[in-house]
Amino acid sequence: MENNMTKEELRALIENKLSRHYGLSIDEADRAQMYKSCARTILELLSEKRTKFNQKIKESQAKKVYYLCMEFLVGRSLKNNLYNLGLEDVFRDVLKQWNFDLEDLYNEEPDPGLGNGGLGRLASCFMDSLATLEYPATGYSICYEYGLFKQKIVDGWQMELPDIWLPGGHVWLNQRNDLVCHVRFNGNVEENWTEEGLQIKHLNYDEVEAVPYDLMISGLDSEGVAILRLWRARDLNNFDMSSFSSGDYDRAMTEKMNAEVICKVLYPSDNHFEGKTLRLKQQYFLVSATVQDIIAEHLQQYETLDNFSEKVAIHINDTHPALCIPELMRILVDDYHYSWQRAYQLVKKTVSYTNHTVLSEALETWPEDLIKRQLPRIYGIIKGLNESYCQELWKRYPGDWERIERMSIISHSQVRMANLCVIGSSHVNGVSKLHSEIIQKQLFSDFYRVDAKKFISVTNGIAHRRWLCQSNPLLIQLLDDCIGPDYKKDASQLGKFRNFYGNKEVLTRLQAIKQENKVRFSDQLHQNGIVIDPQSIFVVQAKRLHEYKRQLLNALKIISLYLDLKDEPNLSLPPQTFLFAAKAAPGYYTAKEVIRLIWNLSIEIEKDASIRDKIRIVFLENYDVTMAERLLPAADVSEQISLAGKEASGTGNMKMMINGALTFGTMDGANVEIYEAVGKENIFIFGMTAKEVENKWKEGYAASSYYHNNEKIHRVVEYLRHGFNGESFESIYRYLLVGDYGIGDPYMCLADFESYLEVYKQLLGAYHDRIRWSQKSLINIAGAERFAADRSIQEYTNKIWNIPTLV
């Protein structure tokens, strides 16, 4: 891992950047200028590595993977690249000589909010692994001007503020004007039969330029450098000088504004027509520019597309990039005159799809009329794909219209993107064993019966070099002392840590490390005026705010504890700090109500000194990658409490277990595999299984029965009407008991509540024996060996992409 750069060489490089870009000497530079000069120094080194790596790829004629995702939650680049390049120490020493602190420079970099949560973070973890393992890989997304949003809680309400990251983040982006593409919207399609066959013309369209910006991602101790290519929209038309000169400034700027709005913000609200239209345009903008770019790169090397599927793997991460299937068809058929059947064969062999959800509302559909109007040629291709596929199904299932309707791409004037992905892909994978089983037996069961070999499972993984090696230096020192440093490149080596299960010195050190991480995090919160007790148990639920993730269930547990303490202030209860970190989608009223409940409950508890010494709630505003890197190593307990069968995998569970937190959760997603990895003694499992949930629905679920037949549930739910901090939560009371369909909460908080409380009491009891708790923690750290993104990527390359490493 050590880079052999000398301090003298580094000083010269940084001084050169300061002089060239700012005309400054070291003595004149401020912290922001020094940060950017260091970033440019790193980029120069990465560019040299990338050039050599590209040459190696070209000479080997290696197959390449292109990973498409609407979001990449990359986190800060300076620290990650310095670590992977082995340059952190030499940079720290040189900067110290100039009276700059490296940690201060890390904080100069904005945290790019180019993702919402697990999906975007997973994509970024995979890029890290692809670079480290030296696979030829490029990620594709949009260069959003504003990230998701900056979250501010005002009197309990989530407020969304612009997330402005580019002023400090643009230094990592390399604009590639040599690779600009054109993307077309609207217009109409004209079809003419000639002697050469059917000729398609797209007329009267609106056109924008897609300008690529490259972000380089280094691998650890490797020759590999991956590229994340981010597209920005730019007006293709020349500036309307005539309108401007006549004083009509609005008209002169209209086209420019219409183009640039495409990459303005990640996930614009789609609860109105304009929002739906913009989201669709964003998705097509991404895939059209990307597929054009991939084809241009391929033709530059091979001068033919006949071998396209042999040399190219295109991966769709979730359904957002699904339109790459008809877009690739369009280019092959319209521009390169392949027959429909041959084009379809190439597409199916090239594209693969990861499904990330079983929630019906999260499976994207688009109004047929919207696609027809915005993307007329793409609509025609989707319609053609649907007709040909339904004809195949008719031959297989003659007369079975119900089955054919379920499997069709277009139905009831809606275009189903998940079905499009399945039909147009070579492989479909779930992201945990349980999730893969559900999509095979339930979600895509009809497709599974047609082609079972298409469906496989690849459990998610995390970039352990960021989430362990960079985030938890104290634990890294212990691991280095116990098992050596090889786990940094090969996570399977973490399993050796089990050998220290009975070593009291190691267990004591492990306990001290967790405590020091808690003190550090507490100190950071104190700087923002938030006081918590680092001696308390840190119970962490950090994830996107959604009903199925059941932050509400966690809140109900805390209300139960609060009411118990009100009844008996001297109740024997270890001090606990409940740390929530979550953003709710701007238009998601129920999720925002849960945030309001948690916040007001925290204020109510703070008012009572006797209670706040036992339980305390902190809602962490604006949760991002940087905060996660500080929070997760401090967690004692990892709450992973989704209703069984709803969470596809989860990766926060992996990040906390690798830092020694114990999982308290349901048998859902990757929790099932964590249970297998650590054993039932080292995890706290409660609630129904996915099968039991399914049976509960069949039996007839009614939340009100739990309310009427369980005294503790009745008391907790009833108290919502009384409220906290002067605020009543009648809406949540009604949500739990009635819901939208008269049966109550669809994610069964009340059905699992009794089991949830009982197992939590067991967890608190287990925490008393600190050495035994440290043993459980050690087993979790060692068990994380199987949850590295490196393992996931090797499974993708072997099972789906068929790409050999260049190592």
Side-chain angles (χ1 to χ4, degrees):
M1 285 176 59
E2 292 297 326
N3 192 294
N4 59 7
M5 177 180 288
T6 66
K7 294 179 184 179
E8 290 73 21
E9 290 170 332
L10 179 57
R11 274 195 291 265
L13 285 172
I14 295 175
E15 286 174 338
N16 175 268
K17 302 299 175 295
L18 274 172
S19 175
R20 185 196 308 174
H21 294 279
Y22 302 106
L24 298 175
S25 66
I26 295 297
D27 295 336
E28 298 171 298
D30 63 22
R31 200 159 65 185
Q33 292 159 342
M34 182 58 73
Y35 149 66
K36 291 180 180 179
S37 296
C38 289
R40 288 188 168 99
T41 300
I42 293 297
L43 286 175
E44 184 175 305
L45 300 175
L46 287 176
S47 294
E48 293 173 3
K49 284 174 67 76
R50 179 65 187 175
T51 299
K52 294 176 183 176
F53 190 55
N54 275 344
Q55 189 59 36
K56 191 174 181 179
I57 295 170
K58 190 171 183 179
E59 290 173 357
S60 66
Q61 295 192 342
K63 188 177 185 180
K64 301 173 185 176
V65 60
Y66 301 93
Y67 198 85
L68 279 64
C69 189
M70 280 296 287
E71 50 177 293
F72 280 82
L73 201 55
V74 293
R76 292 172 171 173
S77 292
L78 181 59
K79 184 176 182 179
N80 188 59
N81 284 316
L82 286 180
Y83 177 82
N84 282 344
L85 295 172
L87 291 172
E88 201 165 18
D89 289 341
V90 68
F91 263 76
R92 181 173 282 107
D93 290 345
V94 167
L95 290 167
K96 188 175 182 180
Q97 292 173 359
W98 292 333
N99 295 318
F100 285 96
D101 184 83
L102 184 57
E103 292 297 325
D104 290 339
L105 297 196
Y106 290 156
N107 290 327
E108 279 295 316
E109 182 176 354
D111 204 319
L114 303 180
N116 185 26
L119 181 73
R121 188 53 232 169
L122 177 75
S124 296
C125 286
F126 282 177
M127 295 305 294
D128 174 272
S129 290
L130 286 162
T132 297
L133 299 175
E134 299 188 7
Y135 289 109
T138 305
Y140 285 94
S141 193
I142 293 176
C143 188
Y144 304 101
E145 183 176 343
Y146 300 104
L148 183 66
F149 58 81
K150 282 192 179 297
Q151 181 191 50
K152 182 74 175 173
I153 308 299
V154 180
D155 294 334
W157 286 102
Q158 172 183 285
M159 309 297 289
E160 298 92 27
L161 305 175
D163 179 16
I164 305 170
W165 71 280
L166 279 175
H170 76 277
V171 68
W172 295 101
L173 301 177
N174 177 31
Q175 184 173 344
R176 297 293 304 273
N177 284 320
D178 57 317
L179 300 176
V180 170
C181 299
H182 294 174
V183 179
R184 297 174 177 178
F185 301 98
N186 303 317
N188 56 282
V189 172
E190 186 178 276
E191 299 181 356
N192 294 303
W193 284 96
T194 68
E195 293 180 356
E196 298 177 355
L198 180 63
Q199 298 294 311
I200 305 291
K201 288 185 179 181
H202 189 180
L203 306 172
N204 304 315
Y205 50 79
D206 298 322
E207 191 170 30
V208 299
E209 284 188 328
V211 184
Y213 291 76
D214 287 354
L215 175 72
M216 286 184 285
I217 300 171
S218 58
L220 175 73
D221 191 24
S222 78
E223 297 179 19
V225 178
I227 292 291
L228 174 56
R229 184 157 288 167
L230 304 170
W231 297 101
R232 293 196 76 179
R234 186 169 68 188
D235 175 30
L236 182 65
N237 299 316
N238 293 323
F239 181 64
D240 189 348
M241 192 66 190
S242 176
S243 296
F244 191 86
S245 298
S246 65
D248 193 349
Y249 306 132
D250 289 342
R251 181 174 180 179
M253 297 299 293
T254 296
E255 293 300 324
K256 176 180 173 64
M257 296 297 290
N258 287 342
E260 292 182 354
V261 74
I262 293 172
C263 56
K264 207 72 176 177
V265 66
L266 170 66
Y267 295 147
S269 294
D270 62 351
N271 55 355
H272 45 71
F273 175 78
E274 291 78 8
K276 283 186 171 64
T277 301
L278 180 54
R279 279 208 186 193
L280 179 63
K281 290 180 75 171
Q282 285 183 331
Q283 293 183 7
Y284 182 66
F285 175 76
L286 166 61
V287 302
S288 180
T290 295
V291 173
Q292 290 179 62
D293 191 54
I294 294 170
I295 287 177
E297 182 178 297
H298 181 83
L299 287 174
Q300 186 178 41
Q301 182 167 2
Y302 298 107
E303 299 181 347
T304 179
L305 293 176
D306 291 346
N307 65 344
F308 190 70
S309 60
E310 298 166 22
K311 297 297 182 180
V312 170
I314 297 176
H315 197 82
I316 301 172
N317 197 31
D318 215 353
T319 56
H320 306 122
L323 291 173
C324 79
I325 292 170
E327 176 66 5
L328 183 52
M329 284 288 295
R330 180 190 71 80
I331 293 174
L332 291 173
V333 172
D334 294 359
D335 297 346
Y336 294 95
H337 310 297
Y338 279 84
S339 69
W340 180 273
Q341 192 58 38
R342 175 61 176 144
Y344 185 44
Q345 289 173 352
L346 282 173
V347 170
K348 281 182 63 176
K349 289 179 180 178
T350 303
V351 177
S352 50
Y353 160 57
T354 295
N355 171 270
H356 281 278
T357 184
V358 299
L359 301 177
S360 58
E361 67 270 23
L363 292 170
E364 280 192 307
T365 61
W366 293 103
E368 187 177 0
D369 286 346
L370 180 60
I371 293 184
K372 185 176 183 179
R373 181 170 55 255
Q374 289 291 321
L375 310 170
R377 179 56 182 140
I378 293 302
Y379 170 73
I381 291 172
I382 292 174
K383 195 173 179 181
L385 288 170
N386 188 55
E387 289 174 355
S388 60
Y389 188 69
C390 288
Q391 287 171 7
E392 291 179 27
L393 292 176
W394 178 262
K395 294 175 184 176
R396 188 181 182 97
Y397 304 111
D400 193 346
W401 285 111
E402 186 176 337
R403 184 195 302 265
I404 295 171
E405 187 278 328
R406 289 197 304 265
M407 299 176 72
S408 66
I409 302 171
I410 303 173
S411 177
H412 301 292
S413 300
Q414 295 289 311
V415 179
R416 300 160 166 167
M417 306 309 277
N419 286 12
L420 173 62
C421 289
V422 174
I423 291 166
S425 297
S426 63
H427 294 84
V428 177
N429 73 280
V431 290
S432 70
K433 289 180 181 177
L434 176 61
H435 174 233
S436 299
E437 182 180 320
I438 289 171
I439 67 174
Q440 291 170 19
K441 294 184 178 180
Q442 297 177 29
L443 186 65
F444 297 134
S445 59
D446 292 317
F447 296 99
Y448 182 71
R449 292 187 190 97
V450 171
D451 187 1
K453 292 181 180 179
K454 175 180 283 195
F455 293 84
I456 65 171
S457 179
V458 180
T459 298
N460 283 345
I462 59 170
H464 71 287
R465 285 171 287 276
R466 181 184 284 267
W467 295 107
L468 172 65
C469 301
Q470 296 175 46
S471 301
N472 202 338
L474 297 174
L475 181 53
I476 288 307
Q477 185 60 58
L478 175 60
L479 290 169
D480 285 353
D481 292 345
C482 291
I483 63 176
D486 290 349
Y487 66 91
K488 295 170 185 175
K489 193 73 179 280
D490 178 7
S492 68
Q493 297 296 312
L494 284 171
K496 294 179 179 179
F497 197 40
R498 293 187 184 91
N499 296 331
F500 296 86
Y501 180 81
N503 189 313
K504 286 193 175 180
E505 180 185 351
V506 169
L507 296 172
T508 302
R509 280 184 67 185
L510 194 58
Q511 185 176 328
I513 287 166
K514 179 62 71 174
Q515 186 58 38
E516 179 61 26
N517 284 330
K518 291 166 69 174
V519 169
R520 288 182 178 182
F521 187 72
S522 301
D523 290 344
Q524 289 169 351
L525 288 186
H526 192 261
Q527 293 173 10
N528 296 319
I530 300 172
V531 179
I532 60 175
D533 177 11
Q535 299 297 325
S536 64
I537 305 172
F538 281 14
V539 183
V540 177
Q541 189 176 18
K543 51 186 74 254
R544 179 167 50 92
L545 206 307
H546 197 287
E547 291 165 76
Y548 85 84
K549 294 179 184 289
R550 299 205 294 191
Q551 284 92 347
L552 177 56
L553 177 58
N554 194 351
L556 295 176
K557 173 192 66 188
I558 301 170
I559 293 171
S560 179
L561 294 173
Y562 169 70
L563 295 177
D564 288 346
L565 286 168
K566 279 177 70 71
D567 289 345
E568 190 177 346
N570 295 322
L571 184 69
S572 177
L573 199 66
Q576 300 150 66
T577 299
F578 298 96
L579 295 153
F580 289 87
K583 291 182 179 181
Y588 196 168
Y589 174 78
T590 302
K592 287 188 169 184
E593 272 289 276
V594 173
I595 291 177
R596 194 170 72 89
L597 169 63
I598 293 167
W599 189 87
N600 280 282
L601 178 59
S602 72
I603 299 300
E604 176 98 349
I605 289 170
E606 285 297 314
K607 293 176 181 178
D608 191 326
S610 63
I611 293 180
R612 71 169 181 256
D613 288 341
K614 296 288 182 68
I615 59 174
R616 186 171 242 146
I617 301 172
V618 176
F619 193 96
L620 299 164
E621 283 182 340
N622 201 44
Y623 185 58
D624 58 17
V625 173
T626 299
M627 185 187 293
E629 291 170 346
R630 297 165 180 165
L631 169 65
L632 304 189
D636 291 307
V637 178
S638 165
E639 292 240 12
Q640 309 294 329
I641 59 176
S642 54
L643 179 64
K646 298 301 182 184
E647 182 72 87
S649 169
T651 52
N653 46 7
M654 303 170 189
K655 292 165 191 168
M656 282 193 262
M657 78 175 291
I658 204 171
N659 281 285
L662 271 57
T663 301
F664 172 42
T666 53
M667 288 292 271
D668 195 25
N671 290 355
V672 175
E673 288 158 83
I674 292 175
Y675 178 91
E676 294 171 357
V678 304
K680 65 180 181 179
E681 299 299 318
N682 302 300
I683 190 172
F684 296 91
I685 295 295
F686 74 92
M688 296 176 286
T689 64
K691 186 64 177 177
E692 288 168 340
V693 169
E694 185 181 350
N695 290 337
K696 180 70 68 175
W697 283 118
K698 291 177 181 177
E699 293 167 5
Y701 171 69
S704 59
S705 65
Y706 297 93
Y707 172 76
H708 291 298
N709 296 313
N710 185 296
E711 184 178 345
K712 186 172 282 289
I713 290 176
H714 186 279
R715 186 187 187 198
V716 168
V717 174
E718 191 65 30
Y719 209 83
L720 290 167
R721 306 175 83 176
H722 174 277
F724 306 94
N725 191 36
E727 296 285 332
S728 173
F729 292 91
E730 178 80 23
S731 61
I732 295 181
Y733 168 86
R734 291 186 58 79
Y735 166 83
L736 284 169
L737 296 183
V738 181
D740 292 334
Y741 303 102
I743 58 172
D745 161 36
Y747 298 102
M748 298 185 172
C749 288
L750 301 189
D752 272 349
F753 185 74
E754 189 172 12
S755 173
Y756 181 52
L757 274 190
E758 179 58 35
V759 175
Y760 188 68
K761 288 179 183 177
Q762 296 172 17
L763 182 152
L764 294 180
Y767 191 79
H768 282 297
D769 187 343
R770 302 307 300 279
I771 290 296
R772 182 72 186 95
W773 185 274
S774 291
Q775 287 179 317
K776 295 175 184 288
S777 179
L778 182 147
I779 291 298
N780 272 267
I781 294 166
E785 62 180 321
R786 72 163 75 174
F787 297 110
D790 292 355
R791 186 267 313 149
S792 300
I793 286 300
Q794 286 168 337
E795 290 188 25
Y796 276 106
T797 56
N798 293 333
K799 295 180 180 180
I800 299 177
W801 303 332
N802 190 29
I803 299 176
T805 181
L806 297 183
V807 175

